[in-house]
Amino acid sequence: QSALTQPASVSGSPGQSITISCTGTSNDVGTYNLVSWYQQHPGKAPKLMIFDVSKRPSGVSNRFSGSKSGNTASLTISGLQAEDEAHYYCCSYAGSNWAFGGGTKLTVL
Amino acid sequence: EVQLVQSGAEVKKPGESLKISCKGSGYSFTTNWIGWVRQMPGKGLEWMGIIFPSDSETRYSPSFQGQVTISADKSISTVYLQWSSLQASDTAMYYCAVPTGAPSWGQGTLVTVSS
């Protein structure tokens, strides 16, 4: 059982926007602005998409954005493209260690 | 630029020991936490534990406490993940990662344990 809760799957059509939630507690997401998001295509290493809740690394499309409200962080992908189809994982500092969400499979219809 | 370079793939038999490595460069190795992440075949990401190389303070996730050993040699900017007796269930991809700042990851080390 993962420390952070993500939906198992989400889907959207090209051009649409989708949001993936990541629900933790006051011991992790709710207290620390140290939430990151990773994209993983099959057979590939995870790729950092968002860090510190809402910061985008250089080279990551501005279609990807992150936010947080209370104990829930969110990743929003706008203007969905076929290449966005992948697994997405959230990660948060939890006071003495780090924790991942269980992952969300994004399907682009 | 932060770079984390991991040792190569390993194939081992159950009961054997193993130590894999991750060498950091391009940042202050001693003053940044660095850890290990496991990904079993077809499964999600799991934090195993982290170490602060300056004083070797180590924190393990409960599922991995007592199962593996994380260590660091700050003289060569290298962190290690070690097993004393591998099991088939240790078959996985292992990544080292610096989780703070703009997090950086190694390329991964595939460990296969099979008789």
Side-chain angles (χ1 to χ4, degrees):
Chain A
Q1 185 177 357
S2 301
L4 307 177
T5 301
Q6 297 181 233
S9 62
V10 299
S11 62
S13 299
Q16 287 186 331
S17 293
I18 63 94
T19 296
I20 300 172
S21 62
C22 171
T23 301
T25 70
S26 57
N27 295 322
D28 38 63
V29 174
T31 295
Y32 304 100
N33 290 325
L34 293 172
V35 177
S36 51
W37 289 90
Y38 295 87
Q39 176 192 67
Q40 188 176 36
H41 288 108
K44 301 295 187 181
K47 176 185 176 183
L48 178 67
M49 306 304 285
I50 296 288
F51 68 100
D52 292 354
V53 176
S54 58
K55 296 178 182 176
R56 240 184 346 265
S58 174
V60 171
S61 170
N62 59 9
R63 298 186 298 105
F64 292 82
S65 62
S67 62
K68 188 182 85 166
S69 177
N71 295 336
T72 299
S74 299
L75 173 71
T76 298
I77 309 173
S78 59
L80 267 181
Q81 299 179 2
E83 68 210 47
D84 300 332
E85 185 162 296
H87 278 91
Y88 291 83
Y89 297 91
C90 64
C91 178
S92 176
Y93 182 61
S96 60
N97 217 318
W98 296 78
F100 285 107
T104 299
K105 168 64 175 169
L106 168 61
T107 300
V108 181
L109 301 170
Chain B
E1 178 193 1
V2 176
Q3 280 203 314
L4 300 174
V5 179
Q6 298 184 225
S7 50
E10 301 274 1
V11 179
K12 291 290 192 179
K13 290 181 166 44
E16 292 186 330
S17 63
L18 176 64
K19 192 174 190 177
I20 62 175
S21 67
C22 168
K23 183 175 176 60
S25 63
Y27 74 106
S28 176
F29 180 81
T30 54
T31 58
N32 282 275
W33 290 90
I34 183 168
W36 289 95
V37 175
R38 182 177 78 174
Q39 187 167 39
M40 299 176 73
K43 302 298 183 183
L45 303 172
E46 303 172 271
W47 267 105
M48 301 176 72
I50 51 174
I51 187 167
F52 194 69
S54 178
D55 60 7
S56 290
E57 178 183 350
T58 308
R59 301 171 180 175
Y60 294 94
S61 295
S63 299
F64 296 95
Q65 181 79 47
Q67 307 305 307
V68 295
T69 300
I70 295 172
S71 61
D73 185 339
K74 59 187 178 183
S75 70
I76 55 172
S77 301
T78 299
V79 63
Y80 301 97
L81 178 63
Q82 183 173 8
W83 295 260
S84 59
S85 180
L86 286 161
Q87 303 174 31
S89 57
D90 293 316
T91 294
M93 183 70 82
Y94 294 88
Y95 297 97
C96 62
V98 175
T100 52
S104 298
W105 288 47
Q107 82 276 20
T109 296
L110 179 62
V111 174
T112 303
V113 183
S114 175
S115 55

